[in-house]
């Protein structure tokens, strides 16, 4: 996602996971800048530290997105990718993002909207039940993608752009590791959301026939107003 990184900036990646993007951001801010990655999961912290070892302008710390250990107005750029969907209090987290951004600072936040998940199958009822189960029971905030821009505005930020980007899988081998069809379908059956026989037949067709699944990923860039 684009948030115009440049030399000397302080950039914070909230929910940085294994730190996949930290080195690229560190190159862009240079020796006078600083990249800080926060994550709540100690396993991710260890991975991110290993991935960025030897980079003096990168720091990784354990922290919760709802309570960032940062001073007010201390950050130039904030990145929050595929994290808000997991948070217990998204509005609270957005208030925290606003607090730590300096006036004029920029937030880039992105999440899928699982309510947009479509999976092609002749049994449309089972596909719909599966999608609805994912959005309602598998992901904590399944429909957060479309709400990101509103949450940013409610926190006092000005939205600069909203991109809705389709994610499309046209083969089972690529889509299944992300969607985990068998595991999620078994939960849907257990909960009574899908008939067991229909689920078995649906899964057989997923693995054997033509495959198409898609959902929408929302990317929002927002700025803290200069006079705030
Ligand atoms: C799907 S991963 C995304 C990782 C990274 N942002 C990326 O795009 O590669 C979600 C990350 O959010 C972290 N996370 C979930 N809840 C969190 C919280 N309350 N505070 C901080 N991190 C959190 C998880 O530990 C996980 O590493």
């Amino acid at each position: 996602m684009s948030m115009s990184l440049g030399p000397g900036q302080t950039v914070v990646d909230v929910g940085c996971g294994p730190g996949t993007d930290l080195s690229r951001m560190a190159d862009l801010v240079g020796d006078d800048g600083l990249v800080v990655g926060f994550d709540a999961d100690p396993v991710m912290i260890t991975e991110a530290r290993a991935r960025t070892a030897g980079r003096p302008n990168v720091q990784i710390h354990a922290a919760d997105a709802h309570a960032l250990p940062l001073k007010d107005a201390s950050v130039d750029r904030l990145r929050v990718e595929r994290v808000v969907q997991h948070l217990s209090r998204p509005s609270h987290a957005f208030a925290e993002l606003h607090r730590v951004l300096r006036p004029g600072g920029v937030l880039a936040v992105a999440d899928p909207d699982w309510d947009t998940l479509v999976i092609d199958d002749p049994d449309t009822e089972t596909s719909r039940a599966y999608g609805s189960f994912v959005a309602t029971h598998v992901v904590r905030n399944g429909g957060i993608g479309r709400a990101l821009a509103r949450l940013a505005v409610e926190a006092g930020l000005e939205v600069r752009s909203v991109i809705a980007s389709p994610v499309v899988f046209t083969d089972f081998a690529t889509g299944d590791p992300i969607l985990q069809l068998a595991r999620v379908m078994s939960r849907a059956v257990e909960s009574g959301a899908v008939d067991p026989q229909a689920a078995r037949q649906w899964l057989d067709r997923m693995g054997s026939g033509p495959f198409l699944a898609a959902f929408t990923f929302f990317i929002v860039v927002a700025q803290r107003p200069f006079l705030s």
Side-chain angles (χ1 to χ4, degrees), residues 200-212:
R200 264 194 308 279
Q201 292 169 348
W202 188 86
L203 281 170
D204 284 349
R205 285 190 297 275
M206 289 298 125
S208 60
F211 182 84
L212 188 136

Side-chain angles (χ1 to χ4, degrees), residues 79-159:
R79 173 180 189 269
V80 193
E81 181 170 346
R82 292 179 297 137
V83 176
V84 183
Q85 61 181 336
H86 302 297
L87 299 181
S88 57
R89 289 167 296 153
S91 303
H92 185 105
F94 268 81
E96 189 66 348
L97 298 172
H98 177 275
R99 179 186 72 77
V100 303
L101 261 187
R102 69 162 172 77
V106 174
L107 161 72
V109 57
D111 269 294
D113 192 313
W114 291 106
D115 259 328
T116 65
L117 176 63
V118 291
I119 301 179
D120 177 47
D121 189 71
D123 181 357
T124 50
E125 192 185 328
T126 298
S127 283
R128 280 197 188 112
Y130 179 92
S132 170
F133 185 77
V134 171
T136 319
H137 297 290
V138 177
V139 181
R140 177 179 255 153
N141 304 310
I144 203 74
R146 77 195 70 172
L148 294 175
R150 172 170 51 81
L151 288 165
V153 170
E154 287 172 355
L157 301 170
E158 290 175 351
V159 171

Side-chain angles (χ1 to χ4, degrees), residues 202-227:
W202 188 86
L203 281 170
D204 284 349
R205 285 190 297 275
M206 289 298 125
S208 60
F211 182 84
L212 188 136
F215 61 86
T216 303
F217 195 74
F218 283 86
I219 304 163
V220 172
V221 175
Q223 187 170 31
R224 179 166 172 173
F226 282 95
L227 298 174

Side-chain angles (χ1 to χ4, degrees), residues 13-21 38-41 44 63-66 79-83 85-88:
D13 191 353
V14 178
C16 65
T20 322
D21 296 295
F38 290 122
D39 204 281
D41 181 343
M44 292 295 164
D64 190 310
H66 301 91
R79 173 180 189 269
V80 193
E81 181 170 346
R82 292 179 297 137
V83 176
Q85 61 181 336
H86 302 297
L87 299 181
S88 57

